[in-house]
Amino acid sequence: LQKILILLHVTACVVVGKTLLVLFPNAVKRYLLKQGEKSGMYKNPKFGYENWGPTFFSFKYLLFVLKVKWKRLEDEAYEGHPAPNTPVVTSSGEVRHLFDFLQGNRPLILNFGSCT
């Protein structure tokens, strides 16, 4: 049910965005540029609006946003419920899932750190 609701929401946003892009292209471009400034996309001078702007509200964009939002459903943890089996990256760069590291009834300890 959650995936269907996400599908409907994202599809509606893309349809509205695409419609606004067709009807008011300059206003939508100004809005997207403002969002790009907030996100820091302009720190790379070789990555201009022409590189990313036209991709907004496309079918590829819709599929990407759906994939990300559906993946985040698996990452939610709730008190008193089982832990999510989220993907993790090993120190060698291999993508595994949290439950891959369980061994019998032994507790699984996660150590988060930073190598700076």
Side-chain angles (χ1 to χ4, degrees):
L1 180 62
Q2 286 180 318
K3 284 188 175 185
I4 292 171
L5 292 175
I6 290 171
L7 171 66
L8 293 174
H9 179 257
V10 172
T11 302
C13 290
V14 169
V15 168
V16 168
K18 190 66 153 181
T19 303
L20 291 174
L21 189 59
V22 170
L23 297 175
F24 310 103
N26 292 330
V28 172
K29 181 178 179 178
R30 281 194 307 272
Y31 175 77
L32 292 176
L33 288 170
K34 187 179 275 188
Q35 295 303 316
E37 288 175 19
K38 286 181 183 177
S39 70
M41 289 174 72
Y42 285 110
K43 292 181 182 176
N44 182 352
K46 295 181 181 179
F47 191 61
Y49 176 80
E50 296 75 27
N51 299 111
W52 56 268
T55 65
F56 271 79
F57 311 122
S58 66
F59 184 67
K60 225 178 200 182
Y61 172 84
L62 170 73
L63 293 179
F64 175 77
V65 173
L66 284 175
K67 180 180 173 183
V68 169
K69 288 188 172 275
W70 286 347
K71 192 72 176 152
R72 287 191 179 156
L73 285 175
E74 300 172 9
D75 295 343
E76 294 183 23
Y78 300 99
E79 187 175 341
H81 291 81
N85 190 19
T86 59
V88 293
V89 179
T90 66
S91 58
S92 63
E94 181 185 1
V95 177
R96 307 256 316 265
H97 283 84
L98 195 60
F99 295 170
D100 295 343
F101 299 97
L102 289 174
Q103 297 178 0
N105 289 333
R106 295 176 57 189
L108 178 64
I109 299 172
L110 302 176
N111 183 9
F112 297 93
S114 175
C115 299
T116 56

